[in-house]
C-alpha cells in the first residue's frame, strides 16, 4: 500500500490573512490544491471573492471573509466566521503586514511606528490568541507567521519594519513554548525580496535590483509560490516536529 502523502492537507481548514494577492494568495492556492479548505481574507471582499472563484475553478474549496488585521473586531469576526462555517481551524497563516514608512528610524513619526507594530505584531498576537485555543480543543494545529529577513538584519531605511519582523520571530518562539504541550506548532517563514506589489519599489528599481542579484547566490528574486509552498509544507504532517523556528527563503542573500 502506498504511504500517505506527508504533504496532504485533506480535511484541514486554513485561515490566511492577506490572501487576495501575493504570497498569501500563493499559499491559499497551493494549500487548497493539497486538499485544505481555505479562508481567503484581506480588506477587500471583492478581491478575496476573485481568489475564491479561481480556487473553486481549480477544484478546491474556499470561502472569503474580509478582515482588516488592524481592527480587533474584524479579526474576531474572521475566526468566528470560519468556526461558524467549517467548525475547525487547523492552520492559521498570519501573512498580512504593512510598511507605511521608508526612511531612517531617526525621523519616523510615532503614528507610522505604531501602525507597523500594531499591524505586524499585535494583530498576529490577536489572531493566535483567538485561534490557538480552538486548535487545542481539537487536539492540535499550527500557526505560520510570514515574517521577513528584514527581521534578521539592520537596515537604514526599513528599520521599524525590521523591528516588527524580529518581534514576530520572538512571538513564534514564545507561543511555541506556550502551546507545544497542546500539540500546536508555531513557525515563521522569512522571505527575502519577492515579486509582489508590497515590494514593487524595490524590484522595479533596475539599479537596486542589479546590485541585489549580484549578491544573491541563486541570482533571482523570489516568486510568491516560493514562499506559499513553504507555508503549505509547515502546515503539513511533513513538518510535524518543527516548531518555534524560522525558515529563511531568500535565494541565499543572508548567507552571502
Ligand atoms: N514581497 C516581499 O518582498 C516580502 C519580503 C519579505 C516579507 N514579506 C511579507 O510577506 C507578507 C505578504 O506580503 P506580499 O509581498 O505578498 O504583499 P502583497 O502582494 O502586497 O499582498 C498583501 C496582502 O495583504 C492584504 N492586506 C494589506 N493590508 C492589510 C490589512 N491591514 N489587513 C488585512 N489585509 C491586508 C492585501 O489585500 P488588501 O489590499 O485587499 O487588504 C493583500 O492581500 C507580508 O507579511 C510581508 O511583510 C514580503
Amino acid at each position: 500500500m502506498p504511504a500517505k502523502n506527508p504533504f496532504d492537507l485533506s480535511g484541514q481548514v486554513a485561515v490566511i490573512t492577506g490572501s487576495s494577492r501575493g504570497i498569501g494568495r500563493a499559499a491559499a492556492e497551493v494549500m487548497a490544491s493539497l486538499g485544505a479548505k481555505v479562508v481567503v481574507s484581506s480588506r477587500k471582499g471583492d478581491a478575496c471573492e476573485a481568489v475564491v472563484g479561481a480556487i473553486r475553478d481549480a477544484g478546491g474549496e474556499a470561502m472569503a471573509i474580509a478582515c482588516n488585521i488592524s481592527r480587533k473586531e474584524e479579526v474576531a469576526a474572521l475566526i468566528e466566521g470560519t468556526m461558524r462555517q467549517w467548525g475547525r481551524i487547523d492552520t492559521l497563516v498570519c501573512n498580512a503586514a504593512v510598511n507605511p514608512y521608508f526612511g531612517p528610524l531617526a525621523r519616523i513619526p510615532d503614528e507610522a511606528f505604531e501602525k507597523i507594530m500594531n499591524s505586524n505584531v499585535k494583530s498576529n498576537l490577536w489572531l493566535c490568541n483567538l485561534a490557538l485555543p480552538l486548535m487545542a480543543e481539537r487536539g492540535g494545529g499550527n500557526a505560520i507567521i510570514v515574517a521577513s529577513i528584514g527581521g534578521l538584519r539592520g537596515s537604514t531605511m526599513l528599520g521599524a519594519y525590521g523591528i516588527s519582523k524580529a518581534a514576530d520571530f520572538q512571538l513564534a518562539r514564545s507561543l511555541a513554548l506556550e502551546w507545544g504541550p497542546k500539540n500546536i506548532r508555531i513557525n515563521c517563514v522569512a522571505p527575502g525580496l519577492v515579486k509582489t506589489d508590497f515590494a514593487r519599489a524595490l524590484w522595479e528599481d533596475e539599479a537596486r535590483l542589479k546590485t541585489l542579484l549580484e549578491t544573491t547566490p541563486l541570482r533571482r528574486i523570489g516568486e510568491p509560490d516560493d514562499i506559499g509552498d513553504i507555508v503549505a509544507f509547515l502546515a503539513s504532517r511533513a513538518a510535524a516536529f518543527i516548531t518555534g523556528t524560522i525558515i529563511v527563503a531568500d535565494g541565499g542573500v543572508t548567507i552571502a
Side-chain angles (χ1 to χ4, degrees):
M1 197 171 77
K4 194 169 178 309
N5 179 351
F7 302 100
D8 183 34
L9 300 177
S10 300
Q12 299 198 19
V13 170
V15 177
I16 307 168
T17 65
S19 43
S20 64
R21 58 176 192 267
I23 292 168
R25 177 176 183 155
E29 290 185 332
V30 70
M31 292 180 80
S33 78
L34 290 165
K37 296 198 259 193
V38 298
V39 180
V40 177
S41 182
S42 84
R43 290 167 301 180
K44 300 182 193 106
D46 295 356
C48 295
E49 290 294 354
V51 176
V52 166
I55 288 173
R56 288 185 184 151
D57 287 349
E61 258 191 274
M63 70 167 162
I65 301 180
C67 165
N68 183 333
I69 51 151
S70 67
R71 298 186 185 143
K72 199 170 190 177
E73 66 281 6
E74 292 186 26
V75 168
L78 171 63
I79 301 302
E80 282 159 17
T82 304
M83 291 302 286
R84 202 165 40 245
Q85 191 68 21
W86 284 334
R88 60 190 286 169
I89 297 173
D90 301 278
T91 296
L92 168 69
V93 185
C94 301
N95 167 70
V98 303
N99 182 39
Y101 178 76
F102 190 68
L105 282 167
R107 289 198 289 276
I108 190 167
D110 282 354
E111 309 78 65
F113 188 80
E114 279 155 19
K115 187 166 186 192
I116 290 168
M117 297 305 287
N118 285 344
S119 296
N120 299 5
V121 186
K122 192 159 75 176
S123 79
N124 291 345
L125 180 62
W126 290 340
L127 283 158
C128 287
N129 281 349
L130 288 165
L132 304 192
L134 301 170
M135 294 177 191
E137 278 172 23
R138 291 189 51 84
N142 65 89
I144 298 145
I145 301 175
V146 179
S148 168
I149 60 167
L152 295 169
R153 313 200 299 179
S155 166
T156 53
M157 301 302 273
L158 289 166
Y161 175 75
I163 291 168
S164 75
K165 296 299 188 175
D168 281 333
F169 298 150
Q170 197 60 7
L171 184 63
R173 292 186 192 105
S174 293
L175 288 175
L177 289 182
E178 288 184 34
W179 291 98
K182 298 288 184 191
N183 190 33
I184 297 172
R185 303 178 292 106
I186 296 99
N187 291 292
C188 290
V189 185
L193 184 59
V194 180
K195 200 167 184 182
T196 69
D197 290 345
F198 189 82
R200 184 172 288 280
L202 301 179
W203 53 262
E204 268 189 352
D205 179 337
E206 280 183 29
R208 183 188 286 269
L209 182 62
K210 185 167 175 289
T211 310
L212 176 72
L213 293 182
E214 279 165 7
T215 53
T216 302
L218 289 180
R219 294 290 187 270
R220 69 175 178 91
I221 65 169
E223 296 293 335
D225 286 345
D226 287 321
I227 311 304
D229 290 357
I230 297 168
V231 170
F233 159 69
L234 283 171
S236 75
R237 185 168 62 80
F241 204 45
I242 301 178
T243 195
T245 198
I246 306 164
I247 296 188
V248 173
D250 66 349
V253 167
T254 46
I255 56 92

